Amino acid sequence: MGDTRYLAWPFFESQHAQFAAALDVWATASLGHTAADHDVDDACRRRVRALGEAGWLQHAVGGKQWGGAADVIDTRSICLARETLARHDGLADFAFAMQGLGSGAITLAGTDGQKSRYLPRVARGEAIAAFALSEPDSGSDAAALQCAARLNGAHYVLDGEKTWISNGGIADFYVVFARTGEAPGARGISAFIVDADADGLEIAERIDVIAPHPLARLRFTGCRVPVEQRIGAAGEGFKLAMRTLDVFRTSVAAAALGFARRALDEALARVTTRKMFGGVLADLQLTQSSLAEMATTIDSAALLTYRAAWQRDQGQSVTREAAMAKYVATEGAQKVIDAALQLWGGMGVVHDVPVERLYREIRALRIYEGASEVQQLIIARDLLRDVRPSTP
Ligand SMILES: Cc1cc2nc3c(=O)[nH]c(=O)nc-3n(C[C@H](O)[C@H](O)[C@H](O)COP(=O)(O)OP(=O)(O)OC[C@H]3O[C@@H](n4cnc5c(N)ncnc54)[C@H](O)[C@@H]3O)c2cc1C
């Protein structure tokens, strides 16, 4: 499983090292790119099922009573899970992450009825979850969302669109954030569970991206959702979306770390075998400089990632720390992967070799769940709040 010395860092307890080792053994035996993966929907469904059957998805939901591994989601475990899965297979990491993100609002604020209906199936890999916040005209400025939910008797009626929805088209249910209008802006949004077969919900478009995974634009036209499907209080939906993202933001950094570690492994394998100038590529000092940069970038990202995860597991706020981890790990992984591809030379740009796949996999992580610029703003705002308490 590569270099595991970091698992001895003081951020971890003994069960974390055991967890990472066991998942690595399972992933080695069970995962990997296969010829059947040309059908990305099917590939994703198979991974959700396999992760569920093996028990790994229990870590993505909270509440032992509802099938979770613990009552509160352990940030270090989800980070180790994503790092390990990303090192083996980007789609498996995606499948794990979306089960957590898609059901996170239910874990955090669902009623017992909602939890019992959805969470055990999510944890067993029997129901696929999705998180629907972004819209064509509101991405980074998520509080500007326009999808409307009007209360009409015992139902809300949803009208509008959501886009870039991961698992769109294969999800069994969507957690949808829509404007209910209790107040302007962020305080007038509520969260709903919408079953995929609800009348008035359609997949308006499937979106094909550079690292294929199920992604869609959803359209709601007079879609009736029972009041009991609202999660939390009316008007509290935006806060709930942010709390959900807060649980999983550090895990995006961990996924980037997994991609970067795999890139370094691939680079080391290549430079020690590629014959060149009477020796191998690794003999050249410029190669060694590149390897040193890669390893140092990875350790910097890992330190920030597991500091944020540990701090969150201590019950402390991690606004600044999670933003630093996501920013440094995703930007750093892009550089590490690019360097690995360079060391592979022409072989590195051949479609579907591991470094080429990683090159495509990493790109979206610098954009979703808060683009790098948004993370910089969060860090700066937090810094300024310390010296200028009136900063919003
Ligand atoms: C592969 C993928 C999967 C996704 N999955 C989901 C999902 O499951 N559910 C969901 O709801 N959404 C999902 N998204 C949407 C994602 O969260 C948005 O793409 C993201 O929030 C950015 O929004 P946008 O694409 O509209 O870009 P825009 O908001 O138009 O931003 C464009 C660029 O502007 C820059 N920028 C943004 N804010 C600032 C600022 N304040 N200052 C300076 N520059 C700035 C950044 O570089 C950013 O990339 C996904 C996106 C991708 C690419």
Side-chain angles (χ1 to χ4, degrees):
M1 64 182 282
D3 185 354
T4 56
R5 279 171 296 183
Y6 72 102
L7 291 169
W9 286 351
F11 298 125
F12 298 109
E13 291 158 34
S14 59
Q15 76 266 18
H16 291 117
Q18 287 159 15
F19 172 79
L23 179 55
D24 189 69
V25 168
W26 179 84
T28 304
S30 318
L31 294 176
H33 211 57
T34 71
D37 287 353
H38 62 267
D39 179 346
V40 74
D41 289 1
D42 183 57
C44 200
R45 284 193 192 97
R46 280 188 282 115
R47 280 160 178 78
V48 172
R49 226 172 12 249
L51 286 163
E53 280 168 6
W56 304 114
L57 292 178
Q58 292 170 15
H59 296 272
V61 304
K64 285 187 183 161
Q65 192 180 353
W66 319 114
D71 282 331
V72 177
I73 291 175
D74 181 66
T75 317
R76 288 165 291 177
S77 296
I78 56 170
C79 286
L80 287 169
R82 292 201 62 183
E83 182 188 328
T84 306
L85 293 171
R87 197 155 39 75
H88 284 274
D89 176 44
L91 205 53
D93 163 59
F94 167 81
F96 178 90
M98 284 317 303
Q99 290 298 90
L101 189 65
S103 66
I106 304 174
T107 285
L108 289 172
T111 61
D112 282 0
Q114 291 168 345
K115 288 179 177 176
S116 69
R117 247 191 334 277
Y118 293 96
L119 295 183
R121 290 191 294 137
V122 169
R124 291 195 298 264
E126 293 166 5
I128 295 182
F131 176 88
L133 176 68
S134 304
E135 298 183 3
D137 292 327
S138 62
S140 303
D141 184 9
L145 67 82
Q146 289 302 323
C147 180
R150 283 174 295 104
L151 187 59
N152 183 355
H155 289 80
Y156 281 92
V157 182
L158 268 63
D159 286 286
E161 287 198 346
K162 292 286 165 188
T163 195
W164 309 118
I165 306 309
S166 296
N167 279 341
I170 67 162
D172 292 287
F173 68 92
Y174 298 85
V175 167
V176 180
F177 299 87
R179 187 160 295 285
T180 38
E182 292 73 18
R187 285 172 296 121
I189 293 167
S190 304
F192 302 91
I193 309 169
V194 183
D195 289 325
D197 60 1
D199 282 342
L201 163 58
E202 63 177 313
I203 305 301
E205 178 192 9
R206 292 298 301 264
I207 306 168
D208 198 10
V209 284
I210 54 176
H213 66 257
L215 197 67
R217 178 162 59 87
L218 315 180
R219 184 179 298 130
F220 298 89
T221 313
C223 177
R224 286 160 64 80
V225 178
V227 171
E228 306 82 71
Q229 293 289 82
R230 193 187 68 221
I231 314 172
E236 296 288 314
F238 190 74
K239 235 187 270 173
L240 185 53
M242 295 304 115
R243 282 174 62 207
T244 309
L245 290 170
D246 205 45
V247 175
F248 292 97
R249 182 163 295 123
T250 309
S251 79
V252 182
L257 194 54
F259 291 138
R261 286 196 199 280
R262 175 65 180 267
L264 179 56
D265 289 348
E266 296 291 335
L268 287 168
R270 180 71 179 166
V271 298
T272 49
T273 51
R274 173 67 174 155
K275 291 193 176 59
M276 201 179 282
F277 306 116
V280 288
L281 184 51
D283 298 333
L284 306 174
Q285 287 189 333
L286 285 175
T287 304
Q288 293 170 14
S289 164
S290 176
L291 294 173
E293 280 297 324
M294 293 162 86
T296 308
T297 303
I298 287 172
D299 267 18
S300 317
L303 282 162
L304 285 175
T305 301
Y306 288 109
R307 174 189 62 169
W310 169 82
Q311 195 165 316
R312 187 161 207 291
D313 288 339
Q314 310 313 302
Q316 298 169 24
S317 156
V318 291
T319 306
R320 185 194 303 193
E321 291 77 7
M324 285 178 169
K326 183 183 185 273
Y327 173 54
V328 169
T330 56
E331 293 289 332
Q334 182 88 62
K335 293 192 183 98
V336 168
I337 292 166
D338 189 58
L341 189 150
Q342 188 74 9
L343 289 169
W344 270 71
M347 280 293 291
V349 291
V350 172
H351 188 61
D352 242 12
V353 299
V355 285
E356 185 271 347
R357 258 198 334 263
L358 292 164
Y359 194 78
R360 289 183 286 112
E361 293 275 12
I362 189 58
R363 193 60 186 86
L365 277 67
R366 292 168 57 206
I367 297 170
Y368 65 57
E369 294 191 38
S372 292
E373 292 80 358
V374 173
Q375 306 307 329
Q376 288 177 304
L377 285 179
I378 293 170
I379 297 162
R381 209 181 297 140
D382 202 57
L383 279 171
L384 289 169
R385 197 177 291 123
D386 287 347
V387 290
R388 277 195 331 211
S390 59
T391 303

